[in-house]
Amino acid sequence: MAAVEAGPVPATSAPEDASRDASEAASAGPEVPPLPAGNRLSLHLHPGGCRQLLRLCAQQAPQLLEVDFLQLSSHEDPQLLEAALARLPWSLPRLRSLVLKGGQHRDALGACLRGSLTTLPASLSSLAHLAHLDLSFNSLETLPACVPQMCGLDALLLSRNCLSELPAALGTLPALTFLAVTHNRLRTLPPALGALSSLQRLDLSGNLLEALPPEIGGLGSLAELNLASNRLQSLPSSLAGLRALRLFILHSNLLASVPASLACLPLLTRLDLRDNQLRDVPPELLDAPFVRLQGNPLGRPPPDPPNPPGTPVVPEMPRLLLTSDLDSFAVTPQGCSVTLACGVRLQFPAGAAAAPVTIRYRLWPPEPRLVPLGPHDALLSGVLELQPHGAAFQQEVGLWLLFVPPRARRCREVVVRTLSGNSWSDLETCLEEEAPTRLWAHCQVPHFSWFLVVSRPVSDARLVPPEGTLLCSSGHAGVRVTFPPGATEEPRHVRMQVVHVGSRELQALLGEPEAASSPLLCLSQSSPSSFLRPVTVQLPLPPGVTGLSLDRARLHLLHRAAPAAAWDDVTAQVALELTHLYARFRVTRFSWYWLWYTTKACVGSLAQKAWERLRLHRVNLIALQRRRDPKQVLLQCLPRSKVDATLRRLLERYRGPEPSDTVEMFEGEKFFAAFERGIDIDADRPDCVEGRLCFVFYSHLKNLKEVYVTTALDRRARAVRGQVSFYRGEVPEGVPEEAEAARQKRGPAALWMATLPIKLPRLRGCEGPTREPGLSLAPLNLGDAETGFLTQSNLLNVAGRLGPDWPAVALHLGLPYRELQRIRHEFRDDLDGQVRHMLFSWAERQAGQPGAAGRLVQALEQSDRRDVAEEVRAVLELGRRKYQEGIRHTSLAPRNLASPDRSPSPSPEPAQA
């Protein structure tokens, strides 16, 4: 079906043109328009959707009388669009939800294009049942006069238009509960807006508002108010009348003060005042846990007085807030402040870019090839990639990465690690508190590459000149290195790291109550050559040992060269000088050093075991099944200290066996989960190989995945008692059979870690699995073999990522606003239940219909969740490739068939996670 092409318009009146176009559309061609699916009619994906609607109206299809949801693209010819809309009151009298959105087409740079809609026919005011109207991404400069006359309107979405004001008549909508006018050009608000007594959610972010009318305090039912990214300089005291307000977003404005009465709002749970001009905040708000104040000049002196007349005015630095559907932004010589959707902040000072440059970013999941960690390092964040790689700036760029701080901070520090050329280096990093449980890692970036946040042992560095110097540890006062004059001809950089060692663990390993060791010392330098003169290293004697009472035969100096994996006892090769508290020795090359006090022989092999024990994390593995749907399985690897708290939080919705026995794992170690005894994973996932689910353990990140499982056994006869086993390493090319795996569990170097039972209960009669009210979990396969399927497990992963963004996705999928309210009420204490019920109930209605997977991807993009949309595309692409490979394997297609290249573009180095 070809799209409508606009030609020259004859000199006739607009109503005549519309009537003629409608008549032509109703009679043109033998093509049969699509009939409504149930009570829904979605024509926004079809070229010429308005023509198809006019044909249906001309045929007087009886199904139209039952339609309560209609979605059209506003990228149609304006005259056809007007003619189609004019027919709605007579052809669709029960219409409850009308979506007329643009933004479905993009320009050459990937930006969404506005629709052509500039007004609405006056006859639409007679749609007596209309409750939801979405006019986003259009070209409206004024609100159509028919909108304030829609007395039953419950939700009105006007985002991303060209509105400069709202009419006072808008205050006459008695049933309106949701109003979104984001990213327009509003400078003022009508006082009549305060008459919307039923309004619960008001979003006016991304406008040009400089003040609020006092009447806004009359919105007694308002629960959420978003005024972010405006130009507000003050707030009216009448806001104290918003007694139902729970969420108040005011970040990225110009506020110099806020009324103290905001602290008296009884239901307020979040007040976001970030990135304003606040220098003084009322004490009631300053100490409140729900207030966010980052990015304000609190406590700083006021700015200098304005310059005298004639002084050049320096323009204010632009501030950008990127949504998740944008992966790039432009930087000019003027500079800018950028907040990315993934929580990263960038500050480009004026003059940093000599010419305009486009910056692209992506947040990669952590994977060993992308995460360079030292033996005692821990990863605290994902991997941020900024492009173009190697781009140098005239001034350093500020970078803020958000992370959850580790509990153990003794003798450790947090740094930002980046790839410079072919090697990784650590940037000078300072920490800023975002919340008690979250911190910002702030650094200055000289160029763009990959960045991640790492916790490492405290590092002390110094430049050693030919005259010599002294390097002391900031974490252990007794550890120092003395460089004599003449140790080097050219200045060289040296670095020292000290790792604390607990005596109890060492004594338990050796079985010797009197065993002890010094801190573990790592010395490194920038030059590969040895020092010209010996360097003196000082280590404290092990705890409980003094130079006057020790037995020298029990004192051992251990050495480990960087490439080697073994520790060597070098006591006989060096001259140990002992004082009352310290031991000193001289070296010419840098490496690892450790001082032990023990009666054991073969200390080198024992030191290797002890060193590995220092780097191991004690974890437990859990496998839980959702109470309402046992086929939904949650797998997680948790540090032992977090198991009890996590289970208390999960056991309201999940049930399952006790956690596994304690297992020891290294930071960044790979492992996989294998379902056995008749149970398999019901999905094609990028992280699933041969039915095995791949994991990478990072002690400070969530090692959690949820999957749907299936079985080939008949559950009507009996319950299926399967299991899931966890194994170390990558998935082998030939996965062993279960009998062979059972034998491997008893081996001395077994890769098996744990096995936990999984039970799928017996189906009684025609009953399905226990489910949420109104939610069917029959096998769902959205799509087809050629374009790729989305299964229950895929949808479950999507649901787990949406969080509070699910209502926007639901509206873009075409769900009526009344259904959203019903879901909120039915699952009012369960956000996960809201998301899953919405997504699965929609998927059940779409089963068997073509284009359902594509509609989901488009809805995710329109809801600013491009990150999830890309993952769905990857799953669909994987299904398409497997389908094509299956055709070639079974010789259903000729061998010389040249299939289109559907593989994703190669990822930059390092390899993609």
Side-chain angles (χ1 to χ4, degrees), residues 208-249:
L208 305 174
L209 297 174
E210 298 180 355
L212 299 176
E215 290 79 4
I216 198 172
L219 300 174
S221 302
L222 195 64
E224 299 180 14
L225 177 57
N226 191 342
L227 297 168
S229 301
N230 277 280
R231 299 180 179 179
L232 297 174
Q233 301 181 25
S234 62
L235 299 175
S237 58
S238 61
L239 292 176
L242 303 178
R243 309 299 291 176
L245 194 63
R246 297 178 180 270
L247 183 65
F248 196 4
I249 308 298

Side-chain angles (χ1 to χ4, degrees), residues 337-356:
S337 174
V338 185
T339 301
L340 307 182
C342 57
V344 176
R345 290 162 49 191
L346 292 162
Q347 182 86 24
F348 294 85

Side-chain angles (χ1 to χ4, degrees), residues 83 100 137 292 295 352 360 381 411 433 472 514 570 607 619 670 673 688 715 763 813 854 879 896 903:
L100 300 171
F137 267 107
R292 297 188 177 184
R360 292 178 174 83
S381 74
C411 302
E433 185 173 349
C472 298
E514 297 180 359
V570 296
V619 301
K670 291 185 177 182
C688 184
R715 292 175 57 196
L763 297 180
L813 286 174
N896 59 356
S903 60

Side-chain angles (χ1 to χ4, degrees), residues 322-514:
L322 268 64
T323 54
S324 57
D325 63 330
L326 300 175
D327 59 0
S328 63
F329 56 93
V331 177
T332 65
Q334 182 183 354
C336 63
S337 174
V338 185
T339 301
L340 307 182
C342 57
V344 176
R345 290 162 49 191
L346 292 162
Q347 182 86 24
F348 294 85
V357 59
T358 298
I359 306 299
R360 292 178 174 83
Y361 80 94
R362 181 170 181 179
L363 192 65
W364 296 85
E367 201 271 340
R369 290 175 294 176
L370 276 176
V371 180
L373 295 178
H376 299 277
D377 294 347
L379 181 66
L380 302 180
S381 74
V383 182
L384 173 69
E385 181 188 8
L386 294 174
Q387 294 182 344
H389 291 172
F393 296 93
Q394 306 297 321
Q395 300 183 46
E396 291 187 334
V397 177
L399 172 65
W400 286 263
L401 295 170
L402 197 61
F403 70 97
V404 177
R407 291 185 178 180
R409 301 189 190 182
R410 180 182 178 185
C411 302
R412 298 189 68 86
E413 61 185 353
V414 174
V415 295
V416 175
R417 187 161 294 173
T418 183
L419 182 65
S420 302
N422 296 323
S423 62
W424 291 83
S425 60
D426 294 341
L427 301 175
E428 184 177 350
T429 307
C430 61
L431 303 183
E432 301 176 6
E433 185 173 349
E434 160 77 6
T437 58
R438 295 198 302 173
L439 296 177
W440 289 103
H442 174 214
C443 63
Q444 298 297 320
V445 178
H447 61 271
F448 276 179
S449 179
W450 283 269
F451 302 90
L452 57 150
V453 183
V454 173
S455 171
R456 70 177 188 188
V458 172
S459 178
D460 298 285
R462 178 154 296 186
L463 180 66
V464 180
E467 296 80 14
T469 187
L470 176 66
L471 175 61
C472 298
S473 170
S474 58
H476 294 264
V479 180
R480 59 177 59 188
V481 181
T482 304
F483 299 88
T488 177
E489 292 181 348
E490 299 292 336
R492 65 176 73 181
H493 291 275
V494 296
R495 191 179 69 163
M496 168 198 298
Q497 283 186 304
V498 180
V499 180
H500 175 74
V501 180
S503 299
R504 292 183 179 179
E505 294 184 355
L506 184 63
Q507 293 167 0
L509 175 66
L510 300 180
E512 182 181 357
E514 297 180 359

Side-chain angles (χ1 to χ4, degrees), residues 15 104 116 163 187 196 247 302 304 309 312 331 339 349 568 597 619 626 639 673 726 839 857 876:
Q104 297 158 4
S116 59
L163 298 172
R187 295 184 178 274
L196 296 173
L247 183 65
D304 297 333
V331 177
T339 301
D568 298 323
Y597 192 74
V619 301
R626 188 170 287 273
F726 296 88
L839 196 57
V857 172
L876 295 173

